[in-house]
Amino acid sequence: MGERAYNFGAGPAMMPDAVIERVAREWQDFRGEGYSAMELGHRSEHFADILARAKADLRALLDVPESHHILFLHGGATPHFAMVPLNLAQPGESADYIHTGYWSDKAMAEASALVNVRIAASAADSEFDRVPDRAGWQLDPAAAYVHICSNETIGGVEYDGDPDTGNVPLVADMSSNILSRPIDVARYGLIYAGAQKNIGPAGLAIVIVRDDLLERVRAGVPSVMKYARHVEWDSMYNTPAAFAIWVAGLVFEHVRKAGGVTEMARISVEKAQKIYAAIDASSLYINRIQPASRSRMNVPFFLREPRLEQRFLDGARRRGLLNLKGHRATGGMRASLYNAMPLAGAQALADYMTEFERKNG
Amino acid sequence: MGERAYNFGAGPAMMPDAVIERVAREWQDFRGEGYSAMELGHRSEHFADILARAKADLRALLDVPESHHILFLHGGATPHFAMVPLNLAQPGESADYIHTGYWSDKAMAEASALVNVRIAASAADSEFDRVPDRAGWQLDPAAAYVHICSNETIGGVEYDGDPDTGNVPLVADMSSNILSRPIDVARYGLIYAGAQKNIGPAGLAIVIVRDDLLERVRAGVPSVMKYARHVEWDSMYNTPAAFAIWVAGLVFEHVRKAGGVTEMARISVEKAQKIYAAIDASSLYINRIQPASRSRMNVPFFLREPRLEQRFLDGARRRGLLNLKGHRATGGMRASLYNAMPLAGAQALADYMTEFERKNG
């Protein structure tokens, strides 16, 4: 067996060892039933129990109020770029978007065919080196909703809290920082998140949606794109990914036992600081994000000498530090530090960075 | 460990032991990389290889011509009830549907808001006891497409071949009998199938679509609902379920080694005959489907004395014959005999049925 590596991939990402081991134990004989966990039927009592527990654990972890439903849907964040406007705004209505980089841009592009997209704030002028200060947002009180991306996975820019948008529902793509800190869910009308980063199985997504918004869905929307339909069917309208939901539930249970999101927040800061400290102490590595907006989840950095990049990656790989290559849209490096990345992994990377610079800088 | 059971569930369903064991071996250390198969990234070289092989194996298995694309999407068949009309028909156009039971009905209901649904043939008058004879179909030569459900999972009704619809594209929901027999893919404009029956992982769907139909998509359709977008992105537009696609590829490989779909067809007939023979020789069990339309995949049957149902199920469970309870919409029993069900499983069920009748009939 290969030695357990530290996987710094941006998603699908590292998962907790305890969950991987638990699945291994039940893979061939799920709960003593004589069938594989992959054969788990969504109409079984086991699955009813799994789904209920997963929802209850996520509700407890994020302190989700009873006003909000929890859904387990398919895919990543992408379907929601269209589902949000189709479900929350009528044709011709306007929605406010905060433009912080690649993923908020994707959300805006898809929405722009479906709703009047208004850019209420943008960091484009400063090459997306920060989250625009809340005080400068030009919000429209008549907007159908305000959309943010709470952590830009590629740019490495993260909100430091839950912005107040008053009576206008706040919608957030939390794919890459959900479960990494406490949030005030009551501030949000809708949260969506691909599961493949802080939760686990790629192809699964989580939605948290406020009940009173469900009736806003416009006419003619296909059933599978209606949040209300998924609420009505308790996430089973479209053949659920039963195995992936079981695994997500195991992750929720694991995070609860590990101290919940408050503890995840504490460790996340500690892990990120190790990498940022190595960058800031260096004359080889560059991260150009403003300190207050630096992401705890994804640390993109560049080498001043691009010719060293491949050597950096090769050396990292030899030490079991995997998937550090940056997104193809930006190049450079990126270290993703989701919940399942141990502190020792961040330390190992920081040590390697320092050593690599000493030898090559 | 519980003894390996025969799982007669209609989906998620039984999977091949060889695939379950293969996944177990690589679950904690995928290809010696030191990470779990669940952490497999869709931008990795491993995944590029997995996706290419899965497509090539499926293409070989079903002899898919180069005119047709193969996609791996999310969910079950349900999204396609809307995607088919949105992608193949303009608003106001008409499409022909063949009405054979529960699932063709669901497809029609969803499509009826999006296209002019014309019922070209229906078995409703005979309580869906058959596939309407092709000679009696009242097809509209101007229809945008003809839609069939090639196997009604709940009703237990199956087409015995690939109907000829001339120049009008034939669209088939093959969720519950794909890979169970050779098909003439060239006859189809589009095939869709939830993977959770003959392929494996719930939450994954396969689409086979003819290239020239991609341009028919109507204006204003969200990107995630456009087949053309998924073709353009090679199934990676919406964060792919990388692990599930790996498993599907293992199943394709397994079916190829086991003799391909010709062999699956041969065994399917043999398995189904065992159960139908037990029914036909009995005065306790009833299946009311016309012999020529009886499904090889799903055998629904009723006990003449409903009070015996629970006893039948309890006794079956004690023998490791699981999930025989019929769909809640119909009641009764249902034995699903997908590819991964061994002949010995069908034999064990037939033997049990005969013995149960002798003791209780």
Side-chain angles (χ1 to χ4, degrees):
Chain A
M1 155 159 186
E3 198 148 331
R4 176 66 168 155
Y6 294 119
N7 179 358
F8 291 92
M14 202 159 176
M15 290 185 59
D17 285 349
V19 171
I20 292 170
E21 284 157 20
R22 169 77 183 275
V23 173
R25 283 199 302 277
E26 296 203 46
W27 173 255
Q28 279 168 289
D29 186 20
F30 185 75
R31 296 191 178 179
E33 289 283 10
Y35 57 74
S36 164
M38 183 68 97
E39 298 175 11
L40 172 66
H42 57 273
R43 300 283 175 213
S44 67
E45 282 174 29
H46 286 308
F47 185 72
D49 170 61
I50 284 164
L51 181 61
R53 274 171 194 263
K55 288 197 297 180
D57 277 342
L58 183 57
R59 191 173 289 280
L61 275 169
L62 292 179
D63 198 12
V64 178
E66 288 303 320
S67 50
H68 287 59
H69 303 279
I70 293 174
L71 297 174
F72 293 88
L73 303 181
H74 296 92
T78 303
H80 305 281
F81 298 164
M83 286 173 77
V84 165
L86 290 173
N87 281 269
L88 300 190
Q90 294 303 310
E93 278 193 315
S94 173
D96 282 351
Y97 278 73
I98 311 302
H99 193 194
T100 47
Y102 188 94
W103 288 110
S104 52
D105 196 77
K106 288 276 185 196
M108 286 161 53
E110 180 70 16
S112 63
L114 304 166
V115 70
N116 177 21
V117 168
R118 237 186 114 256
I119 301 181
S122 173
D125 282 352
S126 57
E127 292 180 40
F128 301 114
D129 70 340
R130 71 193 74 190
V131 173
D133 195 42
R134 172 67 189 84
W137 295 10
Q138 303 290 319
L139 294 179
D140 172 7
Y145 58 88
V146 179
H147 182 281
I148 66 170
C149 175
S150 61
N151 182 70
E152 288 278 1
T153 320
I154 295 176
V157 163
E158 187 177 17
Y159 285 69
D160 67 354
D162 312 303
D164 185 355
T165 55
N167 289 327
V168 179
L170 178 61
V171 174
D173 176 356
M174 287 198 189
S175 295
S176 50
N177 70 349
I178 194 165
L179 291 185
S180 73
R181 68 181 185 201
I183 51 173
D184 181 1
V185 176
R187 286 210 172 177
Y188 296 87
L190 192 147
I191 293 166
Y192 61 92
Q196 71 277 12
K197 297 161 194 295
N198 265 327
I199 296 170
L204 188 71
I206 305 295
V207 170
I208 301 173
V209 56
R210 211 174 71 202
D211 181 70
D212 65 293
L213 298 176
L214 295 175
E215 63 191 33
R216 288 199 190 184
V217 59
R218 63 178 74 171
V221 173
S223 301
V224 78
M225 302 285 277
K226 290 180 184 171
Y227 293 117
R229 180 64 61 106
H230 294 294
V231 167
E232 187 189 333
W233 283 70
D234 199 11
S235 300
M236 299 213 279
Y237 175 66
N238 182 11
T239 314
F243 172 71
I245 293 171
W246 175 53
V247 175
L250 296 178
V251 172
F252 299 152
E253 200 181 302
H254 173 78
V255 174
R256 288 193 74 176
K257 283 183 189 159
V261 293
T262 306
E263 178 64 8
M264 296 303 113
R266 189 189 67 74
I267 300 174
S268 291
V269 169
E270 198 174 339
K271 287 186 290 186
Q273 276 177 345
K274 287 186 185 299
I275 311 302
Y276 287 117
I279 292 169
D280 291 342
S282 143
S283 55
L284 177 61
Y285 309 111
I286 310 166
N287 170 289
R288 49 167 200 76
I289 306 304
Q290 296 295 313
S293 295
R294 279 175 161 182
S295 170
R296 304 159 305 140
M297 297 289 110
N298 311 96
V299 184
F301 59 94
F302 296 85
L303 273 62
R304 258 179 235 281
E305 301 195 55
R307 65 176 176 85
L308 291 175
E309 284 186 357
Q310 196 54 52
R311 192 185 300 175
F312 181 88
L313 289 169
D314 292 344
R317 191 178 165 84
R318 280 194 297 275
R319 294 182 172 216
L321 308 172
L322 304 186
N323 295 323
L324 282 160
K325 194 170 181 174
H327 191 271
R328 68 213 134 78
T330 56
M333 305 292 142
R334 175 172 48 167
S336 294
L337 306 168
Y338 301 121
N339 283 346
M341 174 62 64
L343 190 59
Q347 186 64 58
L349 174 58
D351 291 347
Y352 170 66
M353 289 171 72
T354 304
E355 185 187 316
F356 182 86
E357 180 171 11
R358 200 175 57 234
K359 288 187 181 162
N360 299 279
Chain B
M1 152 158 189
E3 198 147 331
R4 175 66 167 156
Y6 294 119
N7 179 358
F8 291 93
M14 204 157 175
M15 290 186 60
D17 285 349
V19 171
I20 292 170
E21 284 156 20
R22 169 77 183 275
V23 173
R25 284 198 303 276
E26 296 203 49
W27 173 255
Q28 279 167 290
D29 185 21
F30 185 74
R31 296 188 179 181
E33 288 283 11
Y35 56 74
S36 164
M38 183 69 97
E39 298 175 11
L40 172 64
H42 57 274
R43 301 280 175 217
S44 68
E45 282 173 31
H46 286 307
F47 185 73
D49 170 59
I50 284 165
L51 182 61
R53 274 171 194 263
K55 287 198 297 180
D57 277 342
L58 183 57
R59 192 173 288 282
L61 276 169
L62 293 179
D63 198 13
V64 178
E66 289 302 320
S67 51
H68 287 60
H69 303 280
I70 292 173
L71 298 173
F72 293 87
L73 303 181
H74 297 91
T78 303
H80 306 280
F81 298 164
M83 287 172 75
V84 165
L86 290 172
N87 282 270
L88 301 189
Q90 294 302 312
E93 277 193 317
S94 173
D96 283 349
Y97 278 73
I98 311 302
H99 192 195
T100 46
Y102 188 94
W103 287 109
S104 52
D105 196 78
K106 288 275 186 198
M108 287 160 54
E110 181 71 14
S112 63
L114 305 166
V115 69
N116 177 22
V117 168
R118 238 187 113 256
I119 302 182
S122 173
D125 282 351
S126 57
E127 291 180 40
F128 300 115
D129 69 342
R130 71 193 73 190
V131 173
D133 194 43
R134 171 68 188 84
W137 294 11
Q138 303 289 319
L139 294 179
D140 172 7
Y145 58 88
V146 179
H147 182 281
I148 66 170
C149 174
S150 62
N151 182 70
E152 289 277 2
T153 320
I154 295 176
V157 164
E158 188 178 15
Y159 284 69
D160 67 355
D162 310 304
D164 184 356
T165 56
N167 289 328
V168 179
L170 179 60
V171 174
D173 175 356
M174 287 197 188
S175 295
S176 49
N177 71 348
I178 194 166
L179 291 186
S180 73
R181 68 180 186 203
I183 51 174
D184 181 1
V185 175
R187 286 211 170 176
Y188 295 87
L190 192 147
I191 292 166
Y192 61 94
Q196 71 277 10
K197 298 162 192 295
N198 265 328
I199 297 169
L204 187 72
I206 307 294
V207 170
I208 302 172
V209 57
R210 210 174 72 203
D211 181 71
D212 66 294
L213 298 176
L214 295 174
E215 62 191 32
R216 288 201 189 183
V217 61
R218 62 178 75 172
V221 173
S223 302
V224 77
M225 302 286 277
K226 289 179 185 170
Y227 293 116
R229 180 64 62 105
H230 294 294
V231 167
E232 187 189 332
W233 283 70
D234 198 11
S235 301
M236 299 214 280
Y237 176 66
N238 181 12
T239 314
F243 172 71
I245 292 171
W246 176 53
V247 175
L250 296 179
V251 172
F252 299 153
E253 200 181 302
H254 173 77
V255 173
R256 287 193 74 175
K257 284 183 188 161
V261 293
T262 306
E263 178 64 7
M264 295 302 115
R266 190 189 67 73
I267 301 174
S268 292
V269 168
E270 198 173 340
K271 287 186 290 185
Q273 276 176 346
K274 286 186 187 298
I275 311 301
Y276 286 117
I279 292 169
D280 292 342
S282 142
S283 55
L284 176 62
Y285 309 111
I286 310 166
N287 171 287
R288 49 168 201 74
I289 307 303
Q290 295 294 314
S293 295
R294 278 175 160 181
S295 169
R296 303 158 306 137
M297 296 288 110
N298 311 96
V299 183
F301 60 93
F302 295 86
L303 273 62
R304 258 179 235 282
E305 300 194 58
R307 67 179 174 82
L308 292 175
E309 284 185 357
Q310 196 55 53
R311 193 185 299 173
F312 181 89
L313 289 169
D314 292 344
R317 191 177 165 85
R318 280 194 298 273
R319 293 182 172 216
L321 307 173
L322 305 185
N323 295 325
L324 283 162
K325 195 171 180 173
H327 191 272
R328 66 213 135 79
T330 56
M333 306 292 141
R334 176 172 48 169
S336 294
L337 306 169
Y338 301 121
N339 284 346
M341 173 62 63
L343 191 59
Q347 186 65 57
L349 174 58
D351 291 346
Y352 170 67
M353 290 171 72
T354 304
E355 185 188 315
F356 182 85
E357 180 171 10
R358 201 172 58 234
K359 289 187 180 162
N360 298 278

